[in-house]
Amino acid sequence: MELIKPGTKIDFIGKRRYAYLFSLILIAVSVGSLILHGGPNYGIDFAGGSLIQVKFNKAVGIKDVKNVLLKMGLKEAIVQNFKEGEENEYIIRVVRTEMDITTLSEKVKENMDKKFGFGSVDLRRVEMVGPKVGEDLKKKGLYAVLLAVVGILIYVSVRFEFRYALGAVIALVHDATITLGAFSILNLEVSLPIVAAILTVIGYSINDTIVVFDRVRENMRKARKTPEDEVMNESINETLSRTIMTSGMTLLAVLALYFFGGGVIHDFAFALIVGIVIGTYSTIYIASPVVLIWNKLFPQKSPLQKGRRKRR
């Protein structure tokens, strides 16, 4: 199935400077938001503490829930809507308390019942993570992302060349930074599932980039006298139908998860939506143009170009 007619020549590479500016603005906003918020809004997986998810059988305001917790002496408790727009289901996060999780959850239910009526509240989820465990998970999550990026750098260097690997890795860092920035701007929690989503985005984005690089290598062998930027532009155009169909179908599936998957998977699906959109954009406007920047900074004959010269 061809969505884009063969022979189409959209000048993606020629517009790369506008893309650089756009990306720089997105990254500046993302980093600025992270700095203003003092880093990502770590979920209980990383920050440690207790989490209780409560659902009322009637509409209860967030201020009423906070007042009950305040009377219990839980001044530092954070109350958030489990799902935007709903006023009967909340996430309660308690970072510091001397009570164990069982006693805490029983006390919360008891006080909520007293305030809103017996049987009016249902405890949907109760979790506790110690601060040391949270710190350990934070380090392991960071190591997982870094190892994935280093592994991809080595793999693409071996399969293509270092400059292609550099372009691919910069595009991946670009995608991960903007996805994390979106979470920071919306003050969404970064939990273990979100780290899994970012790793998924990295895997998805590199797959798209490899497809384009493969076509670039194939076309460079055919068009021996054509400048590399023209070959890249032609290759992106030739793979555009595949890119649109793959990204479009994946996005449809993730949108279904976002709207109908429920609150538990809501943030995970949101990370994938942002990652797929940004990953598709970076495949076209970041990965290949970075290779051209490298060529200008360090002009030399690449193995592919040397191969072309030998065959003349």
Side-chain angles (χ1 to χ4, degrees):
M1 183 179 177
E2 289 284 350
L3 293 178
I4 307 295
K5 291 180 181 178
T8 299
K9 293 182 179 178
I10 302 172
D11 189 14
F12 293 109
I13 297 295
K15 303 290 188 300
R16 63 184 182 278
R17 287 176 181 80
Y18 298 106
Y20 297 156
L21 181 63
F22 180 63
S23 290
L24 283 174
I25 291 171
L26 288 181
I27 289 171
V29 171
S30 300
V31 173
S33 175
L34 286 167
I35 292 172
L36 284 174
H37 287 96
N41 177 18
Y42 288 116
I44 198 164
D45 300 342
F46 299 123
S50 303
L51 180 148
I52 302 171
Q53 181 181 332
V54 295
K55 183 172 185 177
F56 297 92
N57 57 13
K58 58 185 179 182
V60 173
I62 196 167
K63 285 184 179 177
D64 296 325
V65 177
K66 284 181 179 176
N67 286 336
V68 173
L69 297 172
L70 198 62
K71 287 179 181 175
M72 289 175 62
L74 302 173
K75 297 178 183 177
E76 297 178 353
I78 298 168
V79 183
Q80 295 174 311
N81 284 92
F82 181 64
K83 194 174 181 181
E84 195 174 344
E86 290 192 6
E87 293 187 348
N88 62 344
E89 192 162 3
Y90 299 98
I91 295 286
I92 300 170
R93 290 178 56 195
V94 182
V95 179
R96 295 175 184 174
T97 175
E98 294 178 355
M99 289 183 274
D100 60 62
I101 187 65
T102 306
T103 307
L104 177 65
S105 58
E106 286 175 352
K107 289 280 182 187
V108 168
K109 181 169 173 46
E110 184 184 328
N111 282 274
M112 295 291 176
D113 279 341
K114 280 183 185 175
K115 174 69 177 176
F116 305 111
F118 183 77
S120 61
V121 63
D122 180 30
L123 301 187
R124 308 296 296 270
R125 181 163 49 129
V126 178
E127 295 176 4
M128 187 183 79
V129 178
K132 288 185 179 177
V133 175
E135 195 62 34
D136 188 46
L137 288 174
K138 198 187 294 180
K139 286 180 184 174
K140 287 179 177 174
L142 182 62
Y143 291 156
V145 174
L146 289 177
L147 283 174
V149 170
V150 171
I152 287 168
L153 183 70
I154 295 170
Y155 168 72
V156 181
S157 293
V158 172
R159 183 166 174 180
F160 295 92
E161 298 169 28
F162 175 74
R163 61 197 181 115
Y164 283 86
L166 192 67
V169 165
I170 287 177
L172 297 182
V173 174
H174 167 278
D175 301 343
T177 304
I178 293 172
T179 304
L180 201 58
F183 268 70
S184 176
I185 292 166
L186 298 174
N187 201 29
L188 298 176
E189 285 188 357
V190 176
S191 57
L192 280 175
I194 303 308
V195 174
I198 290 175
L199 288 171
T200 305
V201 167
I202 287 174
Y204 178 86
S205 183
I206 191 63
N207 181 55
D208 240 13
T209 304
I210 291 292
V211 170
V212 174
F213 283 173
D214 255 336
R215 185 58 64 91
V216 170
R217 179 167 61 183
E218 188 181 321
N219 287 341
M220 283 180 71
R221 288 171 180 159
K222 293 177 186 173
R224 299 177 179 178
K225 295 181 180 179
T226 308
E228 195 167 11
D229 57 341
E230 291 184 23
V231 175
M232 284 183 174
N233 207 43
E234 183 184 346
S235 303
I236 292 170
N237 276 282
E238 288 177 357
T239 55
L240 197 56
S241 285
R242 181 261 177 206
T243 301
I244 293 172
M245 282 194 288
T246 306
S247 300
M249 293 301 107
T250 311
L251 195 59
L252 278 178
V254 178
L255 282 171
L257 280 179
Y258 180 80
F259 287 111
F260 307 113
V264 174
I265 208 168
H266 190 265
D267 288 353
F268 178 81
F270 176 74
L272 292 180
I273 290 169
V274 176
I276 289 169
V277 172
I278 293 297
T280 305
Y281 157 81
S282 70
T283 296
I284 295 172
Y285 284 108
I286 302 297
S288 296
V290 166
V291 179
L292 297 176
I293 292 175
W294 180 268
N295 289 345
K296 282 189 177 180
L297 293 174
F298 306 98
Q300 58 181 345
K301 292 295 181 186
S302 71
L304 284 176
Q305 289 170 317
K306 288 174 185 175
R308 289 157 71 183
R309 173 179 275 184
K310 285 179 184 176
R311 285 191 289 274
R312 288 177 189 174

